[in-house]
Amino acid sequence: MSYKDEIDIIIKSIALIGGAISIIIALFSYRQQIKQKQMDLFLTIWNNYVSNLKFQIIFDYLDNQESKSEFDKLSYHDKLEFLGFNEQIALMVEHGYINEQIAFDFFGYYAILCFDSVGFKIFGFENLPWHRYKKFVDKMKKIQEQKMNKQFYSL
């Protein structure tokens, strides 16, 4: 092999390594962009959740039942909108757009209270249209139980 062939192999090897590094950097950048888009989506969802005035009435009702008169003033559609929002969260968890633990920390509390609430029994959560919501609440209850057991045993 001549000196020129050796240099040619070295140059091609360097180009190959450079190309591989470029691909790795591009994949890393792409993953970062996906994570950023997921975070932006999550923050938009969270902002819509906490800033919705009708949802705030529902939160108050679920927290302490003291605002039952305000809750009763909400239309069937308003309550359905709240449930639909929770269904969207359940769908995002189911497809991996939101981590289950994060969903529990931000949405699980009210999803559980809503499911167990007398004020929402009219929707018949045991019926087929609510299977995703029921499954989501079951996951949230399981996480809640795990967290409570972890706290109990760490005392």
Side-chain angles (χ1 to χ4, degrees):
M1 202 186 302
S2 72
Y3 180 70
K4 185 177 178 184
D5 291 338
E6 288 178 10
I7 291 177
D8 191 42
I9 290 172
I10 291 172
I11 290 173
K12 288 179 181 178
S13 298
I14 290 172
L16 181 66
I17 291 170
I21 290 172
S22 296
I23 290 172
I24 291 170
I25 290 171
L27 287 173
F28 180 76
S29 176
Y30 177 73
R31 284 191 66 195
Q32 290 300 103
Q33 288 176 356
I34 295 293
K35 285 182 180 182
Q36 182 63 45
K37 286 180 182 180
Q38 285 178 326
M39 181 57 103
D40 291 344
L41 173 65
F42 176 78
L43 291 174
T44 300
I45 291 167
W46 175 247
N47 187 43
N48 291 340
Y49 189 65
V50 297
S51 65
N52 186 316
L53 297 177
K54 295 171 190 169
F55 288 6
Q56 290 177 12
I57 292 169
I58 293 171
F59 298 151
D60 289 342
Y61 166 74
L62 292 173
D63 277 335
N64 54 32
Q65 309 286 315
E66 289 177 13
S67 60
K68 184 165 178 11
S69 63
E70 289 296 315
F71 177 78
D72 289 339
K73 291 178 188 174
L74 291 176
S75 71
Y76 179 87
H77 176 75
D78 293 337
K79 295 169 188 173
L80 189 61
E81 182 182 350
F82 180 76
L83 291 173
F85 190 94
N86 282 291
E87 276 270 311
Q88 290 176 6
I89 300 301
L91 185 66
M92 286 188 254
V93 168
E94 187 176 304
H95 291 283
Y97 292 110
I98 298 177
N99 177 285
E100 283 183 5
Q101 291 290 328
I102 292 172
F104 172 78
D105 291 341
F106 287 87
F107 305 104
Y109 175 76
Y110 287 113
I112 292 169
L113 288 178
C114 177
F115 186 82
D116 294 336
S117 168
V118 173
F120 282 92
K121 292 295 180 197
I122 59 171
F123 293 97
F125 294 130
E126 300 304 320
N127 295 328
L128 186 61
W130 297 107
H131 74 282
R132 181 173 285 117
Y133 180 62
K134 183 178 182 327
K135 188 174 157 183
F136 174 67
V137 170
D138 289 344
K139 281 182 187 176
M140 296 299 103
K141 285 182 176 182
K142 192 175 193 178
I143 293 171
Q144 183 180 46
E145 186 178 310
Q146 290 170 347
K147 286 188 177 216
M148 292 180 82
N149 285 339
K150 188 175 181 180
Q151 287 176 346
F152 176 75
Y153 290 118
S154 67
L155 293 176

